Amino acid sequence: YPLTGNVQVRSREVLRMIREWRHLRMLKHAGVGYKGVDQDVPGILAVKCAACPHPGINIPGDWASNREKIWLYKVFFALDANFRLTCFNVSSEARDSGFNKGRAYFVDDPTLQYHLASFAGRWPAKKSDCSDHDAIKLANRRGDYNLSTTGLALATCARHDTIHANSGVDLCLGEEYLLMDYSLLSAIQSFPNLPVTASYDIMCQFSKKLYAQIGSYPDMLKTPTPFPRYQLLVPKFHLAAHKELCVWSFSYNYAPGVGRTDGEGVERNWAITNSLSGSTKKMGPGSRRDTLDDHFGNFNWRKMISLASHLHSKAVEAATVREEMVRAFHAASEGLQESTKKQWRQMVLAWEADPDKRMPNAYEHTIRKYTMNRTRLELAKEDADLIGNDTAAQAVSARISRNQLICQGLELEEQLRRLKFDMKTVTEGSTDLVRAKTTERSTSLRRRVEMFAELQALHMPITVILWQQLASSGQTHFVYDLPLLLPSQVFRLGSSCDLVLLDFEWRLRYAAAHDALEQMRKHLLERNWSIDWKCRYGHGVRDGTRSANDVSKLTDKVEACAAQYRIHYAVLSTLAEKLGKVGWSADLRELRLRVSWCKAQARALCWQEECVLLQEEMRRVRAFLEHEVNKWKLRSSEASGDPGASAYAHRQASIHGNIKDFCIEKWTGLDAMLAGGLGGISLHGEQLFVN
């Protein structure tokens, strides 16, 4: 060793001592050396999440007997890979073997290498049929120069952000499915027989052959469970990068039994562990894994001691927002018939029960098959074919075609309706300028109606007589009360009308009704966003007045679209039998907002589930800590012949007891708050969710 004066440099020995000290501390914390503790059990050295369900520790033995409450015992996994936690090729397993050997957060490396050798190349990544995800493009990339490890795959708790035991897998290329499978399935081994919810940023591609891959793996990766299918989702932030089909099929927002989980906890973990990469990338493989195991254990322990404050803040928020969401759902349900709501509920349940999501989606807007522009183009072509070589018809059509005539009539109809609405808002207190502008609009529209009547006579001569009868009646009409005598109005008056014109009007109104629905949906989304902004940030007179005006304007637009839709719907219903139109009501129905109602129900359900989940998690934490206290007290008494071991066990019992007492004090009154109020559900009572 080199000398500095008379002092030898012992840094290598000190680093080795630190590593051994860390390992011994993990053994002590896990109780290795006490009676009944098997130090070879995978994951024995990991700090468990107290809020997660652990059979035999913090959940009842008959938890599976109540089918309605099975969702409360789900285990949440968030799977991801980190390409900053690399490692240079500076050593080998033979020269630098780890101490933990699969007993903490990393899997056992020799077992992993044997698995890779057995299944290498069997499940290559396919080209994505979704977005251009980097995780897929780089799945089989070549390792960077002089790197023995290109990253780390890990499974964490999606509810509480803790790191699951036995889930760390070193990557040798990219996010290969074989390695990601191994990470997820190894983590699931710690939770036998429990239902699983797993999220991954490319779950839409990862899930395609997941069950086939699991079936081909050895028994050590298969957990016996009565729930062979997992609930597979995509984290909320990553979901925006997926195509629309994935948004519905893999969204936490529409998945049952997940509360307000976002699945992004693993990303929050990376934000902390990335700071370790500068040190660990220069270590040997064993030293690196042991160091990361120690930091992961520290991370989980800090989560343990902060659970009281963490769950308290989540409970306060959930109880408040739940009432808002339930109140909004009740408002959306007002005026709806029970049969309609029952139909929509059945539609939602059928879609949720379908694992392949092929049933009709109640949350998705129907793609418009008909638009005004497309219909006008089709009718223009048909009109030209009908005219053919008829010279007289060509002359008439040169001035205005049948298609153009009815389009102008529908446009005038909407402008007259809006004028009528605006004139009702003009009061005696309105300014002279407002009244003058309204009068000018009225005069302009009257001239347009007169010009329309002249053109209308070219295709509908009967309207000349009808207009004369109207003029000779001696009645004075406001301009917005003037009948436009469109083909549907002529038909209702009992006069004869060209069936081609009736058909053209019917098809144009059919398309216009679809357009009105689409516009109404957009305005509703804008209004909801404005209301949300007002509630969050619209404080003070200035901001409050401005946001209130925005909401009022959007409400007027929604009502205008609804009125327009109802007019079209009424005419369509009148003419459908005459024209032999069948099946049209499957797309257009009497105005009700199914998607808005279903989404309002989903939001209310999510917050209700969150409140019940938080009650269950607080109960589990108390039960877990009580179990730890009793376990360490038993170890203390059994080690009475060894004062040091007995004192350490007594100290651990005291630590866990203090954490439990703090949780009980911090959570005083939370169970009642979560179970009470509008939409509140008690953990031990009947689960009356909104419907």
Side-chain angles (χ1 to χ4, degrees), residues 96-117:
D96 184 26
S97 179
F99 287 145
N100 296 336
K101 300 184 183 301
R103 293 177 294 174
Y105 302 95
F106 276 83
V107 300
D108 183 49
D109 191 71
T111 307
L112 171 64
Q113 297 305 322
Y114 177 79
H115 179 76
L116 292 178

Side-chain angles (χ1 to χ4, degrees), residues 34 635-636 638-651:
Y34 290 94
R635 290 172 179 174
S636 177
E638 290 177 345
S640 56
D642 186 341
S646 179
Y648 181 79
H650 183 75
R651 178 172 180 265

Side-chain angles (χ1 to χ4, degrees), residues 6 25 112 114 134 178 222 252 254 283 304 329 348 378 427-428 445 491 538 600 603 672:
N6 295 324
R25 292 272 294 182
L112 171 64
Y114 177 79
D134 287 342
L178 186 61
K222 298 176 182 178
Y252 270 100
Y254 307 116
M283 297 179 180
M304 168 87 79
F329 170 72
V348 170
E378 292 176 356
T427 62
E428 295 181 357
L445 281 175
F491 172 74
R603 286 190 291 268

Side-chain angles (χ1 to χ4, degrees), residues 372 406-407 409-411 413-414 417 486 488 492 505-517 560-576 584 588-589:
M372 198 65 171
I406 297 176
C407 287
L410 295 180
E411 182 182 349
E413 181 184 70
E414 176 60 17
R417 188 198 62 77
L486 289 167
S488 58
R492 287 201 299 270
E505 182 184 353
W506 194 95
R507 291 161 66 181
L508 284 169
R509 286 189 182 275
Y510 187 67
H514 281 87
D515 284 356
L517 276 180
C561 291
Q564 187 179 5
Y565 176 86
R566 291 190 177 99
I567 291 172
H568 294 315
Y569 186 88
V571 176
L572 292 171
S573 302
T574 303
L575 297 181
W584 65 276
L588 294 179
R589 301 183 181 182

Side-chain angles (χ1 to χ4, degrees), residues 106-287:
F106 276 83
V107 300
D108 183 49
D109 191 71
T111 307
L112 171 64
Q113 297 305 322
Y114 177 79
H115 179 76
L116 292 178
S118 302
F119 291 89
R122 185 175 299 187
W123 303 105
K126 302 293 184 180
K127 184 177 179 180
S128 173
D129 60 2
C130 185
S131 300
D132 194 20
H133 300 294
D134 287 342
I136 297 177
K137 289 192 301 183
L138 305 179
N140 293 317
R141 71 173 186 177
R142 296 183 60 185
D144 293 338
Y145 177 72
N146 202 30
L147 287 182
S148 62
T149 300
T150 59
L152 172 66
L154 202 64
T156 68
C157 175
R159 284 284 300 175
H160 317 108
D161 298 354
T162 53
I163 299 171
H164 283 305
N166 224 226
S167 66
V169 172
D170 284 330
L171 304 178
C172 51
L173 293 173
E175 295 183 50
E176 293 182 278
Y177 289 169
L178 186 61
L179 292 170
M180 305 308 291
D181 287 350
Y182 199 92
S183 174
L184 176 62
L185 297 177
S186 297
I188 293 176
Q189 302 300 309
S190 302
F191 302 92
N193 299 317
L194 295 179
V196 168
T197 294
S199 61
Y200 183 27
D201 52 7
I202 55 168
M203 186 60 80
C204 59
Q205 308 301 310
F206 180 72
S207 62
K208 287 184 176 180
K209 295 185 178 180
L210 177 61
Y211 298 112
Q213 292 164 201
I214 293 175
S216 68
Y217 292 151
D219 291 340
M220 69 174 185
L221 292 179
K222 298 176 182 178
T223 305
T225 174
F227 310 100
R229 293 187 71 94
Y230 305 146
Q231 187 179 35
L232 304 176
L233 305 170
V234 173
K236 289 185 178 180
F237 177 79
H238 289 78
L239 192 62
H242 288 249
K243 65 181 182 180
E244 188 175 8
L245 179 61
C246 299
V247 171
W248 304 116
S249 302
F250 297 95
S251 174
Y252 270 100
N253 290 330
Y254 307 116
V258 298
R260 292 295 299 168
T261 312
D262 60 11
E264 297 289 353
V266 65
E267 302 292 343
R268 294 186 280 270
N269 293 342
W270 294 143
I272 299 174
T273 56
N274 283 344
S275 60
L276 304 174
S277 61
S279 300
T280 58
K281 67 182 179 182
K282 299 177 182 179
M283 297 179 180
S287 300

